Amino acid sequence: MSARPAAGTGEDPGAAAARLTGRPVTRQRPLSATLTEVTLDGGRTVMVKRGDGPGAVRAEAAGLRWLATADAVRVPAVHGHDRHWLVTGQVPVGRPSARAAARLGRDLAALHTVGAPAFGAPPPDGPTDAYIGLAPMRNVPGTDWPHWYAEHRVLPYLRRAVDDGTVGRGEAELIERACDRLPELAGPAEPPARLHGDLWNGNVLWGTDGQAWLIDPAAHGGHRETDLAMLHLFGCPHLDRVLEGYQEVAPLAAGWADRVGLHQLFPLLVHTVLFGRGYAGQALTVARTALAR
């Protein structure tokens, strides 16, 4: 099966890989509409991803490099990119293990501890207008997490969900009231952490090398509990071991488990915008629970 050229580029993934790596291509195998496995001359296999949104490739490449410079978590190497195409290393996928999960927890703690210049800080060379999945995400720096989180991570998606008719205005007021209470519910102040930013289970690859690898970041400076809340939201194999490993390196502040839902408001509303009403119900449940505390 041959890969089709990306709209407006005149190139297929193999041609893009050859141009960006300087190596001839011997084989290409489409995995999805935007992702292709490409074998280069000499036997190396790379992943070629097409980014459709303005700045999407730049944001992902900058995020991968920013995570890599922390020397903590494992991420695929960036072999080349331009406006439309991103070429990264391939991660041979194996099976999850408790040992790899504990190591992932320790590595995540180390990543977060490296820190970021501010909440909302983009990676160096990363754009302000980035993405989380297919949804736009603005990286606007702030110094106060509760207010920054409400203004730049919760309310923009809530407003869009209201405009789309997915969330009613009365329902939106419930979530807005929960945001108003964030300063008292957010727990002890934390310094900005270096986040993967979109840490759901699908972005954790369990390599044949016995290690967990992270892909597709929406990297930015944020609260470290947000990454962990995403792992809770969509499930992660051996999550208990991930948390044990994390706590060994950087113990979480008291009451962190009660704050998981607050940190999930962001991804839940992103999913409401992208996928519809089902996720709105979960966000409203989180807001009601917060208001009852």
Side-chain angles (χ1 to χ4, degrees):
M1 180 179 180
S2 61
R4 291 179 296 177
T9 69
E11 279 187 311
D12 66 19
R19 175 173 56 81
L20 291 168
T21 65
R23 300 289 298 274
V25 168
T26 60
R27 180 175 177 268
Q28 56 181 312
R29 182 169 71 96
L31 302 179
S32 71
T34 59
L35 188 66
T36 301
E37 181 184 273
V38 172
T39 303
L40 304 176
D41 184 40
R44 171 183 283 182
T45 300
V46 296
M47 307 304 294
V48 182
K49 184 176 180 180
R50 188 185 77 235
D52 291 327
V57 172
R58 178 185 165 198
E60 185 169 342
L64 286 169
R65 288 171 171 152
W66 196 43
L67 298 183
T69 59
D71 196 25
V73 295
R74 286 157 183 77
V75 296
V78 176
H79 294 305
H81 69 93
D82 61 13
R83 181 180 176 184
H84 299 287
W85 300 101
L86 174 65
V87 182
T88 64
Q90 181 204 41
V91 179
V93 178
R95 299 182 64 181
S97 71
R99 182 176 180 179
R103 175 66 182 270
L104 172 60
R106 293 192 294 270
D107 291 348
L108 272 177
L111 171 70
H112 293 163
T113 301
V114 169
F119 299 111
D125 300 323
T128 296
D129 293 305
Y131 290 83
I132 177 166
L134 297 175
M137 182 185 79
R138 283 184 59 80
N139 285 321
V140 179
T143 57
D144 176 78
W145 183 79
H147 292 96
W148 169 84
Y149 180 69
E151 183 177 356
H152 298 292
R153 289 295 180 265
V154 177
L155 296 179
Y157 304 99
L158 179 61
R159 294 185 189 110
R160 179 169 165 184
V162 170
D163 290 344
D164 291 345
T166 311
V167 173
R169 295 193 180 278
E171 293 173 325
E173 290 176 3
L174 190 69
I175 296 174
E176 290 167 350
R177 284 166 51 206
C179 286
D180 290 341
R181 290 196 59 193
L182 277 172
E184 65 183 277
L185 298 175
E190 296 252 357
R194 188 171 304 194
L195 299 189
H196 175 280
D198 191 10
L199 197 58
W200 71 288
N201 180 46
N203 286 341
V204 180
L205 300 184
W206 303 91
T208 55
D209 60 357
Q211 307 289 348
W213 292 71
L214 306 185
I215 62 170
D216 296 349
H220 62 278
H223 196 300
R224 61 191 180 128
E225 292 177 13
T226 303
D227 265 354
L228 298 176
M230 284 200 185
L231 286 178
H232 278 84
L233 180 59
F234 298 111
C236 176
H238 306 290
L239 181 57
D240 57 336
R241 296 302 304 275
V242 174
L243 294 172
E244 287 173 10
Y246 193 100
Q247 297 272 33
E248 289 175 12
V249 175
L252 295 163
W256 68 268
D258 295 329
R259 296 187 292 271
V260 168
L262 293 173
H263 289 272
Q264 290 175 345
L265 273 177
F266 167 41
L268 283 172
L269 288 169
V270 169
H271 277 67
T272 298
V273 166
L274 293 176
F275 305 115
R277 177 69 189 179
Y279 292 99
Q282 291 179 258
L284 290 166
T285 298
V286 167
R288 292 188 187 100
T289 300
L291 292 170
R293 286 168 57 185

